[in-house]
Amino acid sequence: MLVSPSLLSADFGNLNKDLEMINASKADMLHLDVMDGVFVPNISFGFPVMKYVQKACNKPLDVHLMIVEPQKFVNEVKDCGAEIMNVHYEVCPHLNRVVQQIKNAGMKAGVTLNPATPVCMLQDIVADVDLVLLMSVNPGFGGQKFIGNTLNKVEELRELITKRNSKALIEVDGGVNLETGKLLKEAGADMLVAGNFVFKSEDPLMRIKELSEL
Ligand code: DX5
Ligand code: ZN
């Protein structure tokens, strides 16, 4: 299982320590949650923090934009060293164009679905994206409870990906721990985001290792 720990749950008073832990870990990527207080009811961090993370972190960056009009910031996100730029389906009326913009900028394009957005909405874009990020909580906060219906959505998405000959990876975000992670693996997920489960633990390296061995 690929693992992308979410920096949102890190100690921002001592980011270096947590980034050193990530560098020494088996994490495949580092997940960065950008929030605008408009699309989601919270504000997290922005480009200056991401630029610092780019310098201090040796893992590829998986950027999850929970903002309206993400197409305005493709170049800024690229300049922060993002490998994947994830935009929400719910804020992109011209999703096909945004996906092309992300790819033209040299990044992998990810499309994210809120828990109440059906997987079938992706049928005409799934072949063009590198990754689909399914939210298993309502976006905005770490530490929330996993929404069980996500397991059905992962199965449905796996079928859609096969049917449409897509190479998209399935990433899941919210309430991930070893229990929900195991169920997600069985349902067909490729990559797990984990915030609290990793950073609020006494032994975050072990937690990342355990998730990666699922
Ligand atoms: C929620 C964010 C998540 C969050 C996950 O809006 O997109 O990435 O950090 O945190 P946990 O794993 O604690 O649910
Ligand atoms: Zn996220």
Side-chain angles (χ1 to χ4, degrees):
M1 178 63 73
L2 299 171
V3 184
S4 188
S6 165
L7 195 72
L8 190 63
S9 303
D11 177 3
F12 283 83
N14 195 350
L15 214 44
N16 281 336
K17 181 165 169 272
D18 280 341
L19 289 173
E20 279 164 22
M21 181 281 290
I22 290 292
N23 289 345
S25 77
K26 288 192 151 23
D28 297 280
M29 308 198 86
L30 180 64
H31 186 84
L32 299 180
D33 289 302
V34 180
M35 303 180 188
D36 66 354
V38 178
F39 176 57
V40 291
N42 197 6
I43 294 178
S44 55
F45 49 77
F47 301 125
V49 172
M50 287 162 67
K51 288 234 160 171
Y52 179 70
V53 171
Q54 176 190 15
K55 265 199 290 182
C57 181
N58 64 21
K59 305 284 181 181
L61 303 179
D62 163 31
V63 177
H64 175 196
L65 295 173
M66 284 161 273
I67 65 172
V68 298
E69 303 190 295
Q71 72 280 0
K72 286 185 178 167
F73 300 106
V74 172
N75 292 335
E76 285 81 353
V77 172
K78 171 70 182 170
D79 287 346
C80 291
E83 166 130 338
I84 302 177
M85 174 167 164
N86 288 292
V87 296
H88 268 261
Y89 169 85
E90 296 83 4
V91 294
C92 294
H94 306 290
L95 187 57
N96 185 286
R97 180 185 291 144
V98 183
V99 164
Q100 300 314 325
Q101 285 174 324
I102 295 171
K103 288 179 162 179
N104 289 342
M107 293 178 285
K108 291 188 176 143
V111 173
T112 309
L113 296 186
N114 273 343
T117 307
V119 163
C120 63
M121 302 314 275
L122 296 179
Q123 67 180 21
D124 293 304
I125 193 74
V126 76
D128 297 318
V129 302
D130 299 293
L131 180 141
V132 176
L133 174 59
L134 293 179
M135 291 309 300
S136 40
V137 297
N138 287 296
F141 303 93
Q144 302 182 82
K145 190 173 174 292
F146 181 81
I147 296 172
N149 182 53
T150 313
L151 297 170
N152 301 325
K153 290 178 77 175
V154 173
E155 285 177 9
E156 222 182 300
L157 178 56
R158 178 55 66 205
E159 276 174 35
L160 181 65
I161 285 172
T162 308
K163 187 167 153 219
R164 294 277 170 163
N165 254 322
S166 164
K167 293 196 170 62
L169 291 179
I170 303 179
E171 181 179 24
V172 183
D173 184 5
V176 168
N177 53 37
L178 282 182
E179 235 168 87
T180 54
K182 185 166 177 284
L183 297 172
L184 287 164
K185 158 94 188 186
E186 287 163 8
D190 300 298
M191 174 145 72
L192 300 177
V193 176
N196 272 29
F197 182 68
V198 167
F199 286 99
K200 304 297 184 209
S201 153
E202 301 273 285
D203 193 347
L205 286 173
M206 179 56 77
R207 292 230 148 148
I208 294 172
K209 182 167 178 281
E210 287 168 341
L211 286 173
S212 73
E213 285 170 357
L214 279 177

